[in-house]
Structure formats: structure tokens, C-alpha cells
Amino acid sequence: MTVTVTENAAAQIARQLRRRGHGLGLRLGVRQAGCSGYSYVVDYADEIAADDAVFEQHGVTIVVKTADLTYLDGVEIDYTREGLNETFRFHNPKATASCGCGESFAV
């Protein structure tokens, strides 16, 4: 099982952690929501629990609950800027559909 992060996303995660002043990395999860079934949940990881999977790449740490890996295995986290908009993008090979706004996905 794996979660990867692009260099752009890693740089943004590191910037956010520096601004915040503390934290181990980025916590990625899923929750049931949206019109397609699931949405991504992104937060700071301040601790690592026994049921967490930890991925390190490009100098940053990504923490995922092992139960969420069913939906997130193989996901690539990217960070893009388009004009004034900037956001994390998730390229998920397990997603079979997504809603029109891109906020939720189905597996």
C-alpha cells in the first residue's frame, strides 16, 4: 500500500508546517460525504497512532489511518496553482467516478 506526494505538494506541505510552527506532517483521510460517496479530509498530523500508516517522500510525512487505505491506496497528492486558485489535487486510481465540482469520489 502506498501514497505518494509530488515535489510541488511536498513543498507546500513544508511551507504550511513552517507557518504553523509545529506538526509532523499531513494527515490524509476520507469520510462519507458529497454526491459521489466519499470526500478527502486533509489536516495536520500532530501525532502518529498505532493504526496509522506513514509515508515519507521529498522530506515530508503523510499519515493515513490504515482503514482509509482501502480508498487511498495508490493516491498521488499534487499541488497546483491556476491563476489566483491554488489547491491540493488527488489522483486516485481507485476512484471510479467523481462529482462535477471535484469534491467527492466513488470507489
Side-chain angles (χ1 to χ4, degrees), residues 52-74:
D52 285 336
V54 178
F55 305 93
E56 294 184 14
Q57 197 171 27
H58 303 296
V60 298
T61 301
I62 308 297
V63 180
V64 179
K65 291 279 182 215
T66 54
D68 288 346
L69 284 175
T70 301
Y71 310 101
L72 297 173
D73 182 31

Side-chain angles (χ1 to χ4, degrees), residues 46-107:
D46 290 327
E47 57 188 38
I48 297 172
D51 63 339
D52 285 336
V54 178
F55 305 93
E56 294 184 14
Q57 197 171 27
H58 303 296
V60 298
T61 301
I62 308 297
V63 180
V64 179
K65 291 279 182 215
T66 54
D68 288 346
L69 284 175
T70 301
Y71 310 101
L72 297 173
D73 182 31
V75 74
E76 177 190 64
I77 305 167
D78 193 11
Y79 181 78
T80 60
R81 294 181 99 169
E82 296 172 5
L84 297 176
N85 298 317
E86 50 189 282
T87 188
F88 285 107
R89 300 253 185 232
F90 305 96
H91 306 284
N92 188 342
K94 293 201 175 253
T96 57
S98 63
C99 67
C101 65
E103 292 296 317
S104 65
F105 66 98
V107 291

